[in-house]
Amino acid sequence: MKKDLTRQQHLDLYYYMRLNRAVEDTMVKLFRQNKIVGGLYSSLGQEAISVGTSYALQKKDWLAPMIRNIGALLVKGVKPRDIFMQHMAKYDSPTKGKDGTSHFGDLDDLHIVSPISMLGDLIPVMAGVAIAGRYLGQKIVAMTWIGDGGSSTGVFHEGLNFAAVQKAPFVLILENNLWAYSTPVRKQVPLENLADRAKAYGIDSYIVDGNDVAAVYSTTKEAVERARAGEGPILIEAKTFRRLGHAQHDPAEYVPKEMRAYWEARDPIALHEKFLLSEKLLDAKSKKDIEDKINTLLATERDFAENSPMPPAELAETGVYCTGEECHKIRAKWERPISEVTPPKSSVQAVWTVPGFGSGKSSGGVNAPIHFGDTQPSTGISASEAKSSNGGKPAAKVAAKTAAKKTVKTAASASRKARR
Amino acid sequence: MADGKTNGTNGAKTSEAATAEAQVTFLEAIKQAMFEEMERDPSVVLLGEDVGVYGGAFKTSEGLLERFGWERVIDTPISESAIIGAACGMSYLGLRPICEMQFIDFIVCAFNQITNFVAKGHYLWNAPAPMVIRGPSGGGVHGGPFHSANPEMYFVHTPGLKVIYPSTPYDAKGLLKAAVRDNNPVLFFEHKFLYRRIKGEIPAGDYTVPIGKAVVRREGKHLTILSYAAMMHTSLEAAEALAKEGIEAEVIDLRTLLPLDEETILNSVRKTNKCLVVHEDTKTGGIAGEIAALLCEKAFSDLDGPLLRVTSLDTPVPYAPTLEEYFLPNAKKVFAAAKELARY
């Protein structure tokens, strides 16, 4: 897998991981000098995920970071000064001091949606971005991240399920760092692999070593292109470890020592660097050049951030509403003919068509017709079983063919839905 | 009950073509607004539960799927947070989604998405979310505690949202069109008691009604009655009865609850010196309390008597007709309160 990447790609991944860590190291220093306004979160040891996943996106694609995805912002083109200023609540920050941390976005240029603190909310939002992009013919992919803890929210389910039924070009990175604040993953989810949840949504998933940046990139690249090609959402579980506490205030003494030791020996930057050195993609001189470049850049960026003023107090009262055209010119960017979505071309017959019925294994062990024919057989039937019993064709397709092709009109006879 | 005939065209933009008038129901007015907005602008899409093939639980979206297709009329899973969240994401790409809550009671399932994500985006990171969240609300149809809600005040308390609650077909159509064209998230409450009971005249052409403007439905000098939605009609009925006793009530339809039209309210109260607020929402935390505070701050010396409220009881909406009738305000209760207030 590593051989698939070009030298430049390997070096880019290395650079961005180093930059990610250096930006956060700088912020730890700022925090200790009381220059960070609120809490400071760390992605130490998880840089390969932020960098490897976002590096698989194209410029036109959309992403929404979580709190530990500073690396993804850097790859997407956010300047370190903006990240510093966000944390320092400065007037020149993207939110002008109205919000902190990674809570900022850029709709027009970088295509970044701002997260909020409530976990999981980004999933339906990014599903909506993906659906809108497809509607407008933009051929974009939308990506966001969620933690092992965030995957316990209701909106994770609602969002991923909706994305799945819509076959939205959406990639969800489930960053399993084993800890949700002080709660271990086994108290969040009774599953060994969180990727298994994808099966319940009828979507594909991957599991990847989250500390192997080349593997994260290659896996994500494949998922992104499959989503872009119309295969629907894809879930990637990246297994990793949160090396520091929930935030700076948390010493994380609840983490077993041997667990920490295990993961500290698998530092993603050290692992990648070792690979680059052994393959002679990097040497002492080019490594020093990268370090110098980062140090010079961050010194400038930090100076800029520190010199930015605090926002004027009256700013608090402004900007609750968009005041109209002079505030925002909202225009969808069409990349397909509008005639396709306007009458008469958009007009359809308002009926549900049922091509056939699928099957599933009942508790008695025999198959029962239970679902619409366009769903997969549910459980127990492996592909080979289905093939052998049906002359080599998957069960669902056979069922669909044998069932009478008819159109079922649902509207006329249905009574008002009493749904709860 | 008054026939709902509106004189509420003041402040509305009516195009030259909008001349021929037709009597339509409240429901038809909403359907027309969505149809015309989708016809006008391909960035307008509709999503919600059963809005497509079935045409919506109340048939407000009937015919939209046939005309605009699957990409623009989206039948969703029963997932209110996903509906609101996805619409928000769509709005970031310049679409103008309309979200239908099958019954507005279910809007609270998406409370977090609306109040934390949708409402705060423009203030925090300069991200407008032009979207409409609409659905059937209100009681009087024996829908019981989970199909009769008036949850408007949860959202009036949320900066970043606009909240509309019309009472006539003319306003319903004009305000819904204005909501679709607004760059902010707008909540649009449709009182289901009015859907098929109220008819009104609607001009043939395109028009909008400005968001944030109340309208005087009936002029009077002895006291001001402020109301909206179904209670607007109840208040007008009471005003007719009051007139027979020589009490001329000025009846104002608030139409928009956020932002509140303070100017129209203050102008009327400064004239009549007395104010009665009638709403179907429960009493504690209802808009009447907010209006009382407004009058205390800005018209205290103009008041000749206390602000009185006629509202629903502070209980869930009960199911049995006898209970629900007791729970809801009616013209008799409004009449009695107005008589009491007129004595000051």
Side-chain angles (χ1 to χ4, degrees):
Chain A
M1 204 179 258
K2 283 182 174 172
K3 305 287 180 194
D4 298 340
L5 277 69
T6 64
R7 175 175 187 268
Q8 191 55 48
Q9 287 174 322
H10 276 304
L11 290 176
D12 280 355
L13 292 171
Y14 179 69
Y15 170 77
Y16 280 116
M17 285 201 294
R18 292 291 306 257
L19 182 62
N20 184 168
R21 186 162 295 181
V23 163
E24 294 195 26
D25 285 347
T26 305
M27 289 200 291
V28 171
K29 288 186 191 120
L30 291 168
F31 184 84
R32 288 178 183 156
Q33 294 167 4
N34 274 331
K35 288 174 180 168
I36 301 281
V37 169
L40 180 64
Y41 302 81
S42 167
S43 71
L44 181 70
Q46 298 177 228
E47 295 92 342
I49 298 172
S50 291
V51 170
T53 51
S54 56
Y55 191 69
L57 294 174
Q58 297 178 10
K59 188 178 186 309
K60 67 180 177 181
D61 292 334
W62 286 67
L63 63 74
M66 291 284 291
I67 199 82
R68 301 186 208 284
N69 297 120
I70 294 293
L73 293 174
L74 294 167
V75 172
K76 201 80 171 75
V78 171
K79 288 181 179 159
R81 65 176 63 175
D82 284 341
I83 295 162
F84 294 151
M85 288 190 295
Q86 273 291 116
H87 285 79
M88 297 162 88
K90 294 298 185 85
Y91 189 36
D92 297 309
S93 80
T95 62
K96 295 186 162 54
K98 285 176 171 176
D99 202 352
T101 65
S102 63
H103 290 192
F104 65 98
D106 179 354
L107 295 180
D108 296 326
D109 188 27
L110 297 179
H111 295 173
I112 296 169
V113 172
S114 173
I116 66 170
S117 298
M118 290 71 197
L119 302 177
D121 278 10
L122 281 168
I123 296 173
V125 171
M126 296 311 283
V129 166
I131 293 165
R134 178 177 61 193
Y135 175 65
L136 294 166
Q138 294 176 351
K139 296 186 172 59
I140 55 159
V141 171
M143 179 185 286
T144 189
W145 292 259
I146 189 78
D148 43 303
S151 78
S152 301
T153 59
V155 75
F156 171 94
H157 166 72
E158 286 200 16
L160 196 49
N161 181 61
F162 184 48
V165 293
Q166 283 288 321
K167 275 193 164 296
F170 170 58
V171 176
L172 179 60
I173 312 297
L174 205 170
E175 204 163 348
N176 182 359
N177 68 13
L178 304 178
W179 293 91
Y181 212 138
S182 72
T183 306
V185 64
R186 73 178 58 173
K187 290 285 180 190
Q188 292 282 345
V189 187
L191 287 172
E192 179 68 24
N193 296 316
L194 305 194
D196 288 352
R197 292 188 154 184
K199 193 172 164 58
Y201 303 107
I203 63 172
D204 277 351
S205 64
Y206 297 85
I207 296 174
V208 66
D209 177 356
N211 288 28
D212 178 347
V213 72
V216 171
Y217 165 72
S218 300
T219 305
T220 312
K221 178 84 180 159
E222 185 177 317
V224 164
E225 293 320 317
R226 287 181 62 190
R228 198 186 307 281
E231 290 189 39
I234 291 179
L235 176 69
I236 298 174
E237 180 187 0
K239 297 199 186 265
T240 187
F241 173 72
R242 195 193 73 206
R243 293 251 292 271
L244 295 177
H246 176 63
Q248 278 286 322
H249 65 272
D250 171 21
E253 284 158 351
Y254 44 80
V255 173
K257 283 191 181 67
E258 53 278 32
M259 181 184 246
R260 189 187 303 283
Y262 171 83
W263 286 96
E264 279 175 354
R266 301 193 70 254
D267 180 83
I269 296 177
L271 287 177
H272 192 53
E273 189 176 290
K274 196 175 154 197
F275 165 78
L276 294 178
L277 291 169
S278 70
E279 294 289 317
K280 304 208 180 333
L281 298 171
L282 186 75
D283 56 26
K285 185 187 175 300
S286 53
K287 185 183 159 190
K288 181 155 189 318
D289 286 348
I290 289 172
E291 283 164 357
D292 288 347
K293 183 182 167 188
I294 289 172
N295 289 339
T296 310
L297 170 69
L298 293 193
T300 314
E301 297 290 284
R302 179 182 165 157
D303 278 351
F304 184 94
E306 293 209 52
N307 287 327
S308 174
M310 279 290 164
E314 313 80 63
L315 184 77
E317 222 175 357
T318 65
V320 174
Y321 292 96
C322 174
T323 53
E325 280 284 291
E326 74 284 2
C327 186
H328 285 94
K329 284 189 180 20
I330 298 172
R331 304 279 185 277
K333 291 186 184 72
W334 290 90
E335 292 180 20
R336 70 190 278 200
I338 289 176
S339 64
E340 286 180 11
V341 297
T342 47
K345 215 168 179 185
S346 66
S347 301
V348 296
Q349 220 191 336
V351 292
W352 296 118
T353 54
V354 181
F357 295 91
S359 59
K361 197 178 259 181
S362 70
S363 56
V366 294
N367 286 343
I370 50 170
H371 286 307
F372 282 90
D374 56 356
T375 58
Q376 293 296 312
S378 57
T379 56
I381 310 170
S382 69
S384 59
E385 272 180 275
K387 275 180 187 171
S388 61
S389 62
N390 291 311
K393 292 172 186 167
K397 282 188 182 164
V398 172
K401 266 197 167 176
T402 50
K405 279 186 181 167
K406 60 178 180 182
T407 297
V408 180
K409 290 203 178 191
T410 57
S413 61
S415 58
R416 190 200 289 177
K417 194 171 180 185
R419 108 177 182 219
R420 287 175 191 180
Chain B
M1 178 67 73
D3 67 353
K5 187 175 183 308
T6 170
N7 60 356
T9 52
N10 58 328
K13 279 187 285 182
T14 308
S15 74
E16 291 295 317
T19 46
E21 307 226 330
Q23 286 275 329
V24 301
T25 61
F26 194 85
L27 190 143
E28 174 66 20
I30 288 160
K31 196 197 286 189
Q32 280 183 15
M34 288 199 287
F35 187 94
E36 289 174 22
E37 288 305 290
M38 291 183 79
E39 195 80 29
R40 182 185 61 80
D41 181 356
S43 66
V44 179
V45 299
L46 172 69
L47 64 166
E49 296 151 17
D50 308 291
V51 297
V53 169
Y54 191 62
F58 286 87
K59 302 293 180 191
T60 40
S61 57
E62 198 168 36
L64 294 182
L65 174 64
E66 281 95 329
R67 186 148 180 89
F68 300 107
W70 299 102
E71 286 190 272
R72 296 184 63 187
V73 181
I74 302 170
D75 276 309
T76 67
I78 303 173
S79 303
E80 283 79 11
S81 288
I83 294 169
I84 302 298
C88 181
M90 290 172 167
S91 77
Y92 291 159
L93 269 74
L95 301 188
R96 292 179 176 273
I98 303 171
C99 305
E100 175 169 310
M101 299 285 103
Q102 191 159 75
F103 283 80
I104 210 70
D105 307 61
F106 300 113
I107 196 171
V108 294
C109 300
F111 193 80
N112 177 45
Q113 283 283 347
I114 297 170
T115 58
N116 274 321
F117 213 113
V118 172
K120 292 179 181 171
H122 190 269
Y123 180 79
L124 295 178
W125 62 287
N126 198 29
M131 56 188 277
V132 177
I133 304 166
R134 48 159 288 273
S137 55
V141 298
H142 314 314
F146 305 108
H147 289 74
S148 307
N150 284 294
E152 60 268 27
M153 291 307 288
Y154 297 143
F155 303 102
V156 170
H157 195 61
T158 304
L161 301 176
K162 294 186 179 182
V163 179
I164 296 172
Y165 210 154
S167 72
T168 68
Y170 180 91
D171 281 355
K173 183 172 177 181
L175 281 165
L176 183 50
K177 279 170 165 260
V180 170
R181 298 175 198 186
D182 200 283
N183 280 359
N184 298 281
V186 181
L187 272 58
F188 188 88
F189 292 78
E190 302 164 5
H191 201 294
K192 67 177 87 67
F193 187 87
L194 306 179
Y195 267 163
R196 294 184 174 88
R197 287 178 180 85
I198 295 294
K199 280 190 169 182
E201 283 172 359
I202 285 188
D206 183 41
Y207 71 94
T208 58
V209 173
I211 297 169
K213 294 277 180 236
V215 61
V216 178
R217 294 282 181 213
R218 186 187 195 288
E219 290 199 5
K221 58 186 176 185
H222 296 124
L223 75 155
T224 298
I225 301 179
L226 302 175
S227 192
Y228 58 96
M231 286 304 128
M232 188 62 242
H233 302 282
T234 304
S235 299
L236 284 170
E237 190 185 337
E240 292 303 316
L242 288 164
K244 285 176 191 147
E245 305 215 353
I247 300 169
E248 293 298 336
E250 180 145 297
V251 182
I252 291 175
D253 185 350
L254 296 172
R255 302 197 288 194
T256 302
L257 301 179
L258 182 66
L260 199 58
D261 182 357
E262 294 187 5
E263 192 186 349
T264 302
I265 295 169
L266 291 170
N267 283 345
S268 179
V269 173
R270 281 175 182 146
K271 182 175 78 174
T272 64
N273 310 112
K274 288 164 195 166
C275 184
L276 170 69
V277 184
V278 182
H279 59 64
E280 193 186 300
D281 188 12
T282 49
K283 182 172 266 183
T284 303
I287 194 84
E290 188 58 35
I291 291 168
L294 170 73
L295 296 182
C296 284
E297 284 167 358
K298 297 192 176 168
F300 188 68
S301 57
D302 295 302
L303 290 173
D304 284 348
L307 180 139
L308 293 185
R309 299 180 274 182
V310 178
T311 69
S312 290
L313 305 179
D314 276 334
T315 68
V317 185
Y319 180 46
T322 49
L323 302 180
E324 192 182 13
E325 274 165 33
Y326 186 78
F327 164 87
L328 287 171
N330 57 33
K332 217 172 140 186
K333 293 178 192 173
V334 177
F335 179 85
K339 285 270 281 184
E340 187 191 334
L341 185 56
R343 280 206 299 272
Y344 283 91

